[in-house]
Amino acid sequence: REYYLDDKTSSFPGIDHMINPDEEAVREIHELLLQPAATDIYDFADGRVQVIGARVGTGAQVTGKTLQEIQTEVGSRWALVAAITREGESIIPRGDERLLEGDHAFLVGRQGKIGGAVRMLAVEKPRPNHIMIVGANRIGIRLAELLSEEGVHVKLLDSSEARAHRAGNRLDRALVIHGDATEAELTAWFDDDSNQIVLTGALGLASISAVLFLWFVAVIRRRLGDREDRFFATVFFGSGIAYVAVWLVGAAALAGP
């Protein structure tokens, strides 16, 4: 980027280019998260110009229309389509080129303006409001800072107590957690409303399955009749009761707060 050349390399004679991989990774992730319809984002002219790639979605505003028709319809809200990738073939489009479902189009425009064109191109996904970042390294901390400034609720997780403590001292708006990623992902799954509905329905079947199992035990004992040994009956029926009890207690514990 140009600001590396203008602002940084003048202090280091003999250096032509200066690159900060961590900062570039953070900016790329940040922009992709806040522009859910985009697949690629490239900045030029110190971020004032962007090239954004996106897939043409089913039912999108511009699907099936030529570039000339789109320009006539939306005017200055549209952006320049620099290239299209279709079934592995790269196309430099003209005005009579149609945007087809599944095309990977690359738009060029000014930052802040090009986002509207991308939303016409692809069926926009909802912007994320809650994000969990695993790893309180430099990239994770910087990304948490930027997302928090955008109003996103961020949880930063790290298994190292020292790194979590350092991140907590630096971040004012993000929640820093010292813990294992597997435990946090499981907690996040249970917190999701749609998963709660599925879980409640599954646990509701626990009582039905318990009754069916006891009915199975009763059928087996009835078929054995007088041939059933008393010791066998005690063990068989007692084991069934114990199994059902453990199953129902476990289901109740899982459903509890």
Side-chain angles (χ1 to χ4, degrees):
R1 283 197 181 148
E2 293 179 0
Y3 61 82
Y4 287 136
L5 297 176
D6 297 338
D7 300 336
K8 304 291 191 307
T9 58
S10 59
S11 302
F12 298 90
I15 302 298
D16 297 322
H17 297 277
M18 181 177 290
I19 300 174
N20 186 335
D22 287 352
E23 186 68 19
E24 291 300 318
V26 167
R27 289 177 181 272
E28 182 76 11
I29 297 171
H30 173 257
E31 291 177 347
L32 286 172
L33 285 173
L34 298 184
Q35 185 71 264
T39 58
D40 309 86
I41 299 178
Y42 306 98
D43 289 345
F44 298 92
D46 200 15
R48 295 189 297 273
V49 177
Q50 289 185 314
V51 176
I52 297 182
R55 294 279 181 185
V56 179
T58 304
Q61 181 177 343
V62 300
T63 302
K65 299 179 181 178
T66 67
L67 299 181
Q68 184 61 50
E69 290 172 344
I70 299 170
Q71 183 66 47
T72 302
E73 181 180 330
V74 303
S76 61
R77 292 181 296 155
W78 188 235
L80 172 67
V81 180
I84 299 173
T85 301
R86 179 181 300 154
E87 297 180 350
E89 180 185 358
S90 296
I91 302 171
I92 304 301
R94 297 185 177 183
D96 59 351
E97 188 71 47
R98 292 186 183 275
L99 290 176
L100 305 180
E101 179 185 341
D103 283 355
H104 193 189
F106 292 86
L107 281 64
V108 181
R110 296 179 58 184
Q111 187 182 40
K113 177 182 176 182
I114 191 173
V118 174
R119 287 190 288 273
M120 299 179 201
L121 186 73
V123 178
E124 187 175 17
K125 303 174 185 177
R127 170 177 164 168
N129 292 319
H130 298 81
I131 292 178
M132 176 176 289
I133 301 172
V134 179
N137 53 20
R138 287 182 295 180
I139 293 177
I141 293 174
R142 180 60 179 148
L143 182 60
E145 285 180 332
L146 292 178
L147 292 173
S148 297
E149 292 172 0
E150 297 286 346
V152 178
H153 299 282
V154 178
K155 294 179 181 178
L156 181 61
L157 180 74
D158 199 289
S159 58
S160 169
E161 183 177 358
R163 287 195 296 266
H165 181 71
R166 181 186 62 189
N169 290 335
R170 180 170 172 178
L171 299 172
D172 297 328
R173 303 179 184 178
L175 175 62
V176 180
I177 303 172
H178 170 225
D180 183 75
T182 304
E183 297 175 358
E185 291 169 0
L186 184 61
T187 301
W189 189 93
F190 279 107
D191 288 340
D192 187 275
D193 291 339
S194 59
N195 293 333
Q196 286 276 5
I197 295 174
V198 174
L199 181 62
T200 301
L203 292 177
L205 296 174
S207 57
I208 298 177
S209 65
V211 172
L212 291 176
F213 181 78
L214 292 177
W215 173 80
F216 169 76
V217 171
V219 169
I220 294 298
R221 294 194 64 198
R222 183 176 180 84
R223 293 286 295 178
L224 290 175
D226 295 336
R227 292 173 294 176
E228 182 183 41
D229 180 80
R230 179 175 298 180
F231 176 76
F232 173 81
T234 303
V235 173
F236 185 57
F237 186 68
S239 298
I241 293 295
Y243 171 79
V244 170
V246 171
W247 165 234
L248 291 179
V249 170
L254 186 60

